[in-house]
Amino acid sequence: MIEIRNLSKSYGLFTALKNIDLRLDQGLTHVFLGSSGSGKSTLLKMISGLEKPDNGSLVISGKNQIESSQKKISSEIGYVLQDACLFPHLNCLQNIILPAKISKWSSDKISNRVHELREIMQLPEKLLTKYPQELSGGQRQRIALMRSLLLNPPIILLDEPLGALDPIVRADLQKDLKQVFNLLNKTVIIVTHDINEAAFFGHTISLFHEGQLIQHGNFESFMKNPANEFVTRFMNAQKPSAELLNYL
Ligand code: ADP
Ligand code: MG
């Protein structure tokens, strides 16, 4: 369980997050939805411990996140960014195993875990000796996801992981990611501005606007009981896919 209470963050005079209250259950996939600049990535950074809030509390599995060390948090939370952020001078395998090297795992333990993850991600072995720049965008994101899963953290944060991909690759990776999340029973938070993606992944959706949490619930509640005029406008501004309309 991730419990965020009355959390605020400002950069100088600019308020990036204002009095956020949110509880996210374990083992589910949660979506942070909102336009660019609404505060989604800032909240993800707070959860990951990369940045500290000005006010409020952040408790993860009963532990105060704000007081935990970054090293401890890194073993409990996997983080994937939009552009994969792989090291260009390391091949894919070296990129993937970096967290295990830092945690001083034995080479046996590392190779067992890589094998396990390669099966889960259905990634051909020959890809692992390639360098990031030799891969497609979708393949790079799969490698970044493998790296985030390596230490088997209970929580995975993904900041617009599919944002830079073309529609077909994106649809394929969406399906695969959903399967992996269900299989592994992780608590996942995905950031997106796309309502179709939010509906596809989200057991819950949190909609942000100008640093405030406007509505939290499942997709159906957004469609049937929008909290205010802004929610209606946001939902209507993007065309729901045929698949989504079918589902409703
Ligand atoms: P989103 O991910 O929803 O697009 P962000 O959380 O990245 O939005 O940013 C929210 C707002 O906070 C933006 O207006 C952004 O410019 C501002 N912001 C984020 N990080 C910083 C920072 N380190 N310094 C100053 N302003 C920042
Ligand atoms: Mg962002």
Side-chain angles (χ1 to χ4, degrees), residues 195-196 199 205 215 218-227 231-232 234-236 238-240 244-245 247-248:
I195 63 164
N196 289 303
I205 297 171
Q215 184 165 352
N218 63 16
F219 187 73
E220 208 177 342
S221 70
F222 276 77
M223 297 307 268
K224 293 193 173 152
N225 301 304
V231 179
T232 310
F234 189 90
M235 301 312 271
N236 289 339
Q238 293 177 48
K239 201 172 173 301
L244 187 59
L245 289 172
Y247 152 89
L248 290 170

Side-chain angles (χ1 to χ4, degrees), residues 10-12 14-17 34-45 51 159-160 191 208 211:
S10 296
Y11 296 106
F14 179 80
T15 306
L17 290 170
S35 312
S36 177
S38 55
K40 309 178 298 294
S41 297
T42 304
L43 188 54
L44 218 60
K45 280 184 211 150
E51 290 204 30
D159 197 346
E160 308 219 29
V191 168
F208 294 87

Side-chain angles (χ1 to χ4, degrees), residues 43-154:
L43 188 54
L44 218 60
K45 280 184 211 150
M46 306 285 148
I47 295 171
S48 75
L50 283 176
E51 290 204 30
K52 303 285 177 206
D54 300 330
N55 290 301
S57 72
L58 182 53
V59 175
I60 299 183
S61 307
K63 280 173 281 178
N64 185 337
Q65 180 77 342
I66 297 161
E67 288 167 3
S68 289
S69 74
Q70 190 57 43
K71 186 159 182 254
K72 186 154 190 315
I73 294 171
S74 303
S75 67
E76 289 167 359
I77 297 184
Y79 204 172
V80 179
L81 298 165
Q82 180 168 1
D83 59 1
C85 288
L86 300 172
F87 292 100
H89 60 290
L90 300 179
N91 72 21
C92 291
L93 181 65
Q94 290 163 334
N95 266 288
I96 291 168
I97 68 175
L98 206 58
K101 289 272 184 195
I102 294 168
S103 298
K104 300 199 162 50
W105 282 19
S106 70
S107 33
D108 272 0
K109 189 172 173 187
I110 292 177
S111 55
N112 288 341
R113 182 65 180 152
V114 169
H115 181 74
E116 204 171 80
L117 284 175
R118 215 168 46 69
E119 302 260 293
I120 294 168
M121 296 297 296
Q122 296 173 16
L123 210 71
E125 193 166 10
K126 64 176 188 325
L127 218 62
L128 297 184
T129 52
K130 294 198 171 184
Y131 283 80
Q133 52 277 27
E134 299 176 89
L135 305 185
S136 67
Q139 288 171 330
R140 274 201 289 273
Q141 284 305 59
R142 284 172 202 269
I143 299 294
L145 186 70
M146 268 178 82
R147 181 173 62 187
S148 77
L149 291 168
L150 192 82
L151 302 182
N152 205 11

